[in-house]
Amino acid sequence: MRILVTGGAGFLGSHLCDRLLAEGHDVIAMDNLITGSTDNIAHLSGNRRFQYIHHDVTNYIYLKGPLDAILHFASPASPIDYLELPIQTLKVGSLGTHNALGLALAKEARLLLASTSEVYGDPMVHPQQESYWGNVNPIGPRGVYDEAKRFAEAMTMAYHRSHGIDTRIVRIFNTYGPRMRLRDGRVVPNFVGQALRSEPLTVYGEGKQTRSFCYVSDLIDGIYRLLMSDETEPVNIGNPAELTIFDFAQVINELTSNPAGIRFEPLPVDDPKQRQPDISKARRVLGWEPKIDLRTGMAQTVAWFRRQLDV
Ligand code: UDP
């Protein structure tokens, strides 16, 4: 297949490019590099089945030749990024998704949309099943991301129903691994960066909020299976192993032998109190479940950040 990955120079996009190339596909990565980096795809530059195009997908996407699939992964994805880039975040989720769908229609290509557990907002249902409609504050600081992704899902389903486009929607839960940006503000790079500098870890609030962290290779495998499946309704992909942020901080301090402990800082506005994917659907329709546990995945991630920081 010839496949376009929007956001192909980002954390998840670049791992997807690797997997698609390994599966024998031709890959075009498109990125405007606001949060992505060509460092993530530098190792692919000599590959004749790989091409990189610098483009902002909120503008019309022109692409020569046939195309079999589009994986729409372009978007800022960390709360700090979308606080700094609120309008770009809204635009890429709305206009960018519209352009990607238009391209899918023109090329008769399948489109897989990267959606998010943020469509569930601060969830009142636990764990979160795909049938839950969510609890989102449209005008809060996270609303720019949550609503853009909710709009993107609605637009994708509308193109599927009105134009018969072959679509897939993955709802991605917290994912970590090599190529996360050290300064993207998310809990994994923050904690690992702090630990490697022997600084206290900044736990927001009392650290009682929960998250469930999935290692990137597991996530990519779920996404690839979804792309190749017939499932057109949203599917959660994430690791259901849930823990509090306080406990997560202890794990990182232990893994890095960080003597500096923990420092409490204020909880950001609208920070979801609990999050855990219900993955029964992914198990049933994709035969997928995560394989890498938190300590194994974090050991890999810490080793990668260590190399970046040269410590
Ligand atoms: N968090 C924290 N310290 C940090 C960064 C984040 O305690 O330095 C918390 C944050 O308040 C949230 C959780 O960790 O409850 C996950 O935050 P992240 O930004 O990684 O992603 P989110 O799941 O909120 O989108």
Side-chain angles (χ1 to χ4, degrees), residues 77-80 82 116-118 142 145 173-175 180 184-191 194 201-213 245-246 248-249 263 265-268 270-273 275:
S78 92
I80 294 289
Y82 40 84
T116 167
S117 56
E118 284 282 326
R142 301 174 86 102
Y145 183 66
F173 284 66
N174 294 68
T175 305
M180 289 190 98
D184 88 355
R186 283 188 277 192
V187 69
V188 171
N190 271 13
F191 281 5
Q194 289 158 352
L201 309 194
T202 53
V203 169
Y204 298 162
E206 293 171 50
K208 285 186 185 155
Q209 69 275 31
T210 68
R211 292 294 185 273
S212 309
F213 296 98
I245 293 301
F246 184 84
F248 182 56
R263 188 175 80 219
E265 289 196 355
L267 192 66
D270 294 338
D271 199 280
K273 286 181 266 313
R275 181 181 288 159

Side-chain angles (χ1 to χ4, degrees), residues 149-175:
K149 290 291 188 183
R150 289 168 68 95
F151 175 91
E153 287 199 10
M155 190 62 133
T156 300
M157 290 311 289
Y159 264 68
H160 173 65
R161 293 186 182 120
S162 302
H163 293 302
I165 293 194
D166 198 14
T167 54
R168 309 282 181 270
I169 298 174
V170 57
R171 291 190 180 147
I172 299 170
F173 284 66
N174 294 68
T175 305

